Amino acid sequence: VHGDAAIAGQGIVYEVVQMAKLDGYKTNGTIHIVVNNQIGFTTNYLDARSSTYCTDVAKVTLSPVLHINADDTEAVVHAVLFALDFRMTFKRDVFIDLLGYRKYGHNEGDEPRFTQPKLYKAIAKHQNPRDIYAAKLIEEGIIDNNYVSKLESDYKSMLESELEDSRKEDKTVITPFMQEEWKDFKRADLSEIMIPIDTKYDKSKLTKIADVVSTLPKDKKFIRKIERLIESRKTMFNEDKLDWAMGEHLAYGTLLEEGFNIRISGQDVERGTFSHRHAVVKVEDSEEEIILHNNISDNQGKFNIFNSLLSEYGVVGFDYGYAMASPNTLTIWEAQFGDFSNGAQIMLDQYISAAEDKWKLQNGLVMLLPHGYEGQGAEHSSARMERYLQLCSKDNMFVADCTTPANLYHLLRRQMKANYRKPLIVFTPKSLLRHPKVVSTVDEFANGSFQMLIDDAQANVEQIKSLIFVTGKFYYDLLEERENLGRNDVALVRVEQLFPLPIEDIKALISKYNNTEEIVWAQEEPRNMGAYSYLLLHFEEARTWRAATRRPYSAPAAGSSTRSKRRHQQVIDYVFDKTKNNQR
């Protein structure tokens, strides 16, 4: 249901209309009903669009449009029945432009004569649709005046009766939305979502899944690069060094084997923006699509992955709805680059972060947002971590910034193994996808669990003078620098789950390193971005820590590669030497 001003002016309408025939998003036809009151709040329709009709977006898909006089009751009924028949027969969109008027001002309390005095003089004198239709039926001898009076009297009596019945109820019971689909899930508060969830998986079954995603059909020909890439999955499994892509593939494979469904959508997700996923491979000659994840077992869940249209708002909205309709599907939307999600900001503000608080609606949508400073400029570096963290409160979602394939694997499995659903925001890497140190063992997959905090396994507690807390890819930059400097007095602790923050675990680690002379928060983002301000708000002790960050900037990153490297190194230098304060 649209308003005339909205269908003409809101870009989301065009995005959704473009989905109408796409495999990943089509619904086999939508009936669009436009309540056309020829005005948008106070704006006349001549100022609200350039097109002749508010429904001209329908021309994109050559959909029929029925322009109906809303005063003609029988025409309205006929149009709706026709639209329904058309949709069911041809499985295509159809639009009904219901041309009427708004009897009173916006929200029925506004004064419309301020801005449309002539129009509202005409409306004040105009008969309402009920009276117009009644007069027509009386003129045709179908009903009489008593019939209309009785209808009105009966309707008012029914309303009064219902009102009296409602007053006898002490408590209103609201039927949960999509009750049947959500009957096995419960709402969870902060204490419950911090309880660890068992995500282990049998090693022998894991080996079989690794074999499936590492084996191409022998009767089909693929380009040599694809053959080598798929073969490398088996090699890394046998060598016990699994990379980021294998972390994903094994998470999906194990969940499918356990009966969960997987849906992944977004721009270029089939291959992956950075060519790491290759969930869909193409036969060289025919371009037939092969999805190895659909060969896991006879009783597995469904695996669907779709390259989306070049849209964020519409696609995130669709996937949010999909996750709501199917809580047993791991529904993932991946941004091409993390900051591109700002095109879907309305979905983030009004639904993803707030729907459970506003409407008691759970949702398990996962957002994968590539994030990291690698000299790619202001629009391809930051996923705007600070914006998501600002939206966090109580128990409304999870925010994670993983540094190992195994931790991503367990994080995705945790998302489905829980008996509740929360949105999950994951800041994912770019350069780490092929980093030689970003690997995990098979045992870490089979017998591990999601680690909200990862301690420094190399640190000698007695020697540590500087305790560094860091999140994400920046850890590996600091690790390399520590090795170069030979600094055995520095411990690097990774915060893998940013929200809810594992406060007790952090406090325990601080107590463990009891010889520490200073605690440092290190981030590659500018001081006014990243997780720093969030940390100050949610962990009071952090206010005494030394913060090593870029200087505050309005742009997330420098456009110059040289300047970006210099700023990055300045932060690293300050982490290890407090005299090199880059904020001055």
Side-chain angles (χ1 to χ4, degrees):
V1 178
H2 309 267
D4 57 308
I7 195 170
Q10 292 291 318
I12 184 66
V13 179
Y14 181 85
E15 293 182 38
V16 171
V17 166
Q18 281 287 16
M19 292 177 173
K21 298 181 181 180
L22 303 181
D23 286 342
Y25 309 93
K26 66 184 179 185
T27 59
N28 286 333
T30 299
I31 298 174
H32 298 265
I33 299 178
V34 182
V35 181
N36 185 348
N37 56 33
Q38 307 174 70
I39 190 170
F41 194 177
T42 68
T43 303
N44 286 318
Y45 73 89
L46 293 173
D47 297 320
R49 64 178 185 266
S50 297
S51 59
T52 302
Y53 298 105
C54 64
T55 51
D56 278 350
V57 70
K59 294 176 180 177
V60 172
T61 49
L62 302 178
S63 299
V65 180
L66 310 176
H67 300 283
I68 309 298
N69 179 358
D71 274 344
D72 189 338
T73 305
E74 292 183 2
V76 172
V77 173
H78 176 74
V80 172
L81 292 173
F82 176 89
L84 182 59
D85 285 345
F86 180 89
R87 186 267 177 194
M88 298 304 289
T89 302
F90 299 106
K91 296 179 172 54
R92 288 179 52 197
D93 284 10
V94 56
F95 290 71
I96 298 174
D97 179 14
L98 203 58
L99 190 65
Y101 57 90
R102 188 182 64 196
K103 177 71 173 175
Y104 303 106
H106 185 74
N107 75 23
E108 299 191 359
D110 199 56
E111 175 51 82
R113 290 174 298 177
F114 286 149
T115 49
Q116 283 83 24
K118 287 175 64 178
L119 174 63
Y120 273 86
K121 278 183 182 178
I123 289 173
K125 298 174 184 176
H126 190 71
Q127 274 190 308
N128 66 48
R130 182 201 63 184
D131 293 343
I132 292 172
Y133 189 46
K136 177 185 176 185
L137 294 177
I138 290 169
E139 184 181 348
E140 294 175 355
I142 297 172
I143 63 171
D144 57 22
N145 286 319
N146 292 332
Y147 182 86
V148 177
S149 300
K150 186 175 185 306
L151 270 182
E152 188 172 343
S153 175
D154 289 349
Y155 185 67
K156 286 183 178 178
S157 295
M158 182 272 291
L159 291 177
E160 288 294 336
S161 175
E162 293 288 337
L163 177 61
E164 286 303 313
D165 287 345
S166 71
R167 286 171 174 164
K168 297 172 186 175
E169 300 291 337
D170 293 330
K171 186 182 292 185
T172 301
V173 178
I174 299 174
T175 303
F177 185 65
M178 303 192 77
Q179 187 172 12
E180 183 63 25
E181 287 80 358
W182 287 89
K183 65 183 179 182
D184 297 327
F185 299 89
K186 65 172 189 175
R187 294 184 62 211
D189 62 19
L190 181 60
S191 62
E192 292 171 296
I193 67 176
M194 292 298 280
I195 298 172
I197 290 173
D198 184 2
T199 54
K200 293 192 290 292
Y201 190 82
D202 182 76
K203 192 171 181 178
S204 62
K205 291 164 71 176
L206 195 67
T207 304
K208 291 178 183 177
I209 291 170
D211 188 59
V212 169
V213 299
S214 306
T215 306
L216 290 168
K218 290 185 169 51
D219 60 340
K220 300 183 188 297
K221 188 175 184 298
F222 301 86
I223 65 170
R224 184 62 190 135
K225 281 186 177 179
I226 281 293
E227 290 176 347
R228 286 199 300 266
L229 189 148
I230 301 300
E231 287 168 7
S232 72
R233 296 175 181 174
K234 188 173 294 185
T235 302
M236 69 176 75
F237 193 89
N238 293 335
E239 293 179 353
D240 209 20
K241 292 181 179 179
L242 302 173
D243 69 2
W244 197 271
M246 277 300 277
E248 275 194 51
H249 291 313
L250 293 177
Y252 304 147
T254 56
L255 288 170
L256 288 166
E257 192 276 331
E258 291 173 324
F260 296 103
N261 301 319
I262 309 285
R263 173 189 165 87
I264 307 172
S265 140
Q267 294 156 24
D268 310 297
V269 295
E270 294 178 7
R271 189 202 75 172
T273 298
F274 311 104
S275 198
H276 81 289
R277 183 173 293 120
H278 295 278
V280 177
V281 291
K282 301 282 185 80
V283 176
E284 184 175 5
D285 297 328
S286 64
E287 292 197 359
E288 176 190 354
E289 295 187 346
I290 304 296
I291 300 177
L292 299 175
H293 285 89
N294 283 328
N295 302 324
I296 302 291
S297 71
D298 293 336
N299 300 315
Q300 70 171 78
K302 297 176 183 176
F303 183 86
N304 289 301
I305 184 165
F306 301 102
N307 287 340
S308 75
L309 65 162
L310 198 67
S311 151
E312 287 82 31
Y313 186 4
V315 174
V316 171
F318 186 97
D319 285 332
Y320 178 86
Y322 197 102
M324 184 187 298
S326 184
N328 279 315
T329 297
L330 178 65
T331 305
I332 297 174
W333 177 79
E334 181 177 59
Q336 194 175 60
F337 285 86
D339 49 340
F340 293 4
S341 65
N342 60 12
Q345 196 66 45
I346 292 171
M347 287 306 307
L348 294 163
D349 292 342
Q350 297 189 219
Y351 293 89
I352 292 169
S353 66
E356 187 170 5
D357 190 26
K358 291 193 289 189
W359 307 306
K360 314 306 177 195
L361 293 178
Q362 296 187 67
N363 196 287
L365 178 67
V366 178
M367 298 180 71
L368 302 182
L369 308 175
H371 173 85
Y373 283 60
E374 286 124 349
Q376 292 181 295
E379 273 66 65
H380 296 83
S381 297
S382 173
R384 294 291 193 166
M385 181 185 294
E386 62 281 354
R387 293 185 178 173
Y388 294 89
L389 294 173
Q390 185 189 42
L391 294 172
C392 292
S393 178
K394 294 183 180 177
D395 51 29
N396 66 332
M397 57 182 166
F398 291 108
V399 178
D401 192 4
C402 299
T403 58
T404 72
N407 224 23
L408 175 74
Y409 164 89
H410 289 292
L411 178 65
L412 293 175
R413 284 183 52 74
R414 183 184 77 170
Q415 186 72 357
M416 299 310 291
K417 300 291 279 185
N419 64 346
Y420 56 83
R421 292 289 179 261
K422 303 281 182 182
L424 169 61
I425 312 299
V426 189
F427 300 106
T428 54
K430 294 170 286 182
S431 61
L432 299 192
L433 296 174
R434 295 171 181 83
H435 195 293
K437 290 190 175 180
V438 184
V439 292
S440 300
T441 65
V442 174
D443 188 66
E444 286 173 323
F445 282 80
N447 299 311
S449 62
F450 177 67
Q451 305 297 305
M452 291 184 278
L453 202 67
I454 299 181
D455 194 5
D456 192 333
Q458 301 174 28
N460 182 328
V461 175
E462 301 302 320
Q463 294 180 352
I464 299 304
K465 302 299 181 187
S466 184
L467 177 59
I468 315 296
F469 285 94
V470 63
T471 187
K473 162 252 174 192
F474 197 42
Y475 161 77
Y476 290 97
D477 298 336
L478 298 181
L479 181 63
E480 181 181 10
E481 185 74 3
R482 184 177 71 175
E483 291 172 353
N484 291 339
L485 296 173
R487 291 286 299 274
N488 296 325
D489 61 337
V490 173
L492 299 173
V493 175
R494 288 168 272 178
V495 182
E496 301 278 294
Q497 180 170 291
L498 289 162
F499 187 84
L501 198 64
I503 290 174
E504 296 307 316
D505 293 349
I506 293 173
K507 288 180 177 178
L509 269 180
I510 292 173
S511 298
K512 172 185 171 182
Y513 291 98
N514 52 12
N515 290 333
T516 297
E517 295 175 357
E518 66 166 356
I519 302 176
V520 179
W521 171 257
Q523 67 177 43
E524 57 185 348
E525 300 87 0
R527 183 156 296 199
N528 57 319
M529 301 177 193
Y532 181 54
S533 58
Y534 159 80
L535 196 67
L536 297 179
L537 185 65
H538 288 261
F539 190 62
E540 194 169 332
E541 291 89 333
R543 297 171 192 176
T544 63
W545 298 359
R546 180 162 63 86
T549 73
R550 275 172 164 79
R551 295 184 184 92
Y553 291 107
S554 54
S560 158
S561 177
T562 302
R563 184 179 293 127
S564 177
K565 288 177 182 176
R566 183 174 70 247
R567 290 177 180 177
H568 201 73
Q569 189 59 46
Q570 286 173 346
V571 180
I572 294 172
D573 291 344
Y574 185 43
V575 170
F576 291 94
D577 186 346
K578 61 184 177 183
T579 67
K580 296 183 177 180
N581 189 348
N582 64 323
Q583 301 294 316
R584 293 170 183 162

